[in-house]
Amino acid sequence: MLYMEGLFVESVDDGRKFLEVAKEASQKMPIVAIKIGRSAAGVRAAVSHTASLAGSESVFDAAFKQCGVIRVDNSSELLDVAEAFCKCALPQGNRIAILTDGGGHGVMAADKAERVGLQVPVLSESTQAKLRRVLKPHCPIKNPVDLAGTPEADLWVFDKCAKILLEDPDIDGVVIVGLYGGYAALSENFAALELEVAKSLAGSVAASAKPVTMHSIYQPVKPDCLKLLSDQNVPYIRQLKLPY
């Protein structure tokens, strides 16, 4: 299990000391911080509460980046990131593959990934060839990999494609986004199948040294397949963000 430290920051009295301590600590474990007081009203409230200046947002952003502190916007994100760090292996680099069963979800994930400094590289010809043997000709496979309706006919493509992506030496982590957890609504057979696929997928992740996180719009329903994945160190979230 990987440990991390979470910070709730209203203000900093000694910026130099904070940078020194945070930079040293971030070499030992991930540090995730919420810094309140982004808006004018928020700054007024922070000043009233702490009797000290909340500080410039750009200064805090630069300081966090300099000392390796990951900034999140709210407590929900902090808990998601904490769960991911506790359950996932640390990536060896910033190159991710996105596996989706909805094109729009894949595009949003790619946009968000690049905004936070992750790379979504075009997959190698070798990996694309392996994916092409599994998926239908119309499925985009460069990255994001879009299952494009294939799961309705073969739900095992989630596990098959995840294995291929995890085996790619040019990929450091996988993010699965979209509708997994909702196929159970199609029939009772799909409910049982989703659970079996989840068991196999969890095994594929366990055999890899790479992090895998899952986004599902069905997270609030808490289907058994997502609970199983979470119990087997594949965290899932509802909002489309990347908690590592």
Side-chain angles (χ1 to χ4, degrees):
M1 176 182 291
L2 177 68
Y3 292 94
M4 60 151 280
E5 183 170 347
L7 303 178
F8 182 87
V9 181
E10 292 183 344
S11 63
V12 173
D13 293 328
D14 188 339
R16 188 180 299 277
K17 184 64 174 179
F18 174 82
L19 284 173
E20 179 184 327
V21 173
K23 189 171 184 178
E24 181 180 354
S26 67
Q27 302 301 311
K28 302 174 183 177
M29 68 178 70
I31 301 176
V32 184
I34 300 174
K35 164 60 178 71
I36 64 170
R38 287 179 179 269
S39 65
V43 170
R44 289 198 305 270
V47 170
S48 174
H49 180 56
T50 66
S52 61
L53 292 177
S56 164
E57 283 301 292
S58 60
V59 170
F60 270 102
D61 279 338
F64 285 151
K65 185 175 182 179
Q66 180 179 337
C67 60
V69 173
I70 301 168
R71 184 173 184 175
V72 295
D73 291 330
N74 53 59
S75 56
S76 177
E77 286 188 2
L78 179 63
L79 292 174
D80 283 340
V81 174
E83 181 183 10
F85 275 127
C86 289
K87 293 181 176 180
C88 293
L90 282 178
Q92 298 303 302
N94 67 344
R95 304 163 299 178
I96 67 166
I98 298 170
L99 179 62
T100 180
D101 53 352
H105 291 100
V107 173
M108 287 189 288
D111 286 345
K112 179 65 175 179
E114 295 200 347
R115 282 201 300 273
V116 299
L118 297 173
Q119 294 182 25
V120 187
V122 174
L123 296 172
S124 68
E125 291 296 331
S126 173
T127 294
Q128 289 190 49
K130 293 175 184 177
L131 291 168
R132 183 58 68 207
R133 289 195 287 269
V134 172
L135 295 174
K136 296 179 180 179
H138 69 275
C139 294
I141 57 173
K142 289 187 176 181
N143 199 14
V145 177
D146 187 355
L147 302 180
T150 308
E152 282 84 346
D154 179 13
L155 200 60
W156 285 101
V157 291
F158 278 101
D159 184 41
K160 294 174 183 176
C161 291
K163 284 180 179 177
I164 292 170
L165 296 173
L166 288 168
E167 291 170 355
D168 188 330
D170 298 324
I171 292 298
D172 301 305
V174 176
V175 179
I176 303 173
V177 299
L179 309 173
Y180 193 82
Y183 291 94
L186 297 177
S187 71
E188 291 185 5
N189 289 338
F190 266 101
L193 186 56
E194 266 195 322
L195 197 57
E196 290 303 310
V197 172
K199 291 177 182 178
S200 184
L201 178 58
S204 300
V205 175
S208 170
K210 299 177 182 180
V212 176
T213 60
M214 177 170 282
H215 153 267
S216 174
I217 64 172
Y218 291 94
Q219 179 268 349
V221 182
K222 301 189 185 321
D224 290 341
C225 60
L226 293 185
K227 183 178 184 303
L228 183 146
L229 286 167
S230 180
D231 290 344
Q232 297 298 316
N233 297 327
V234 182
Y236 64 88
I237 57 174
R238 181 182 183 184
Q239 295 184 22
L240 195 49
K241 56 185 184 296
L242 303 175
Y244 57 75

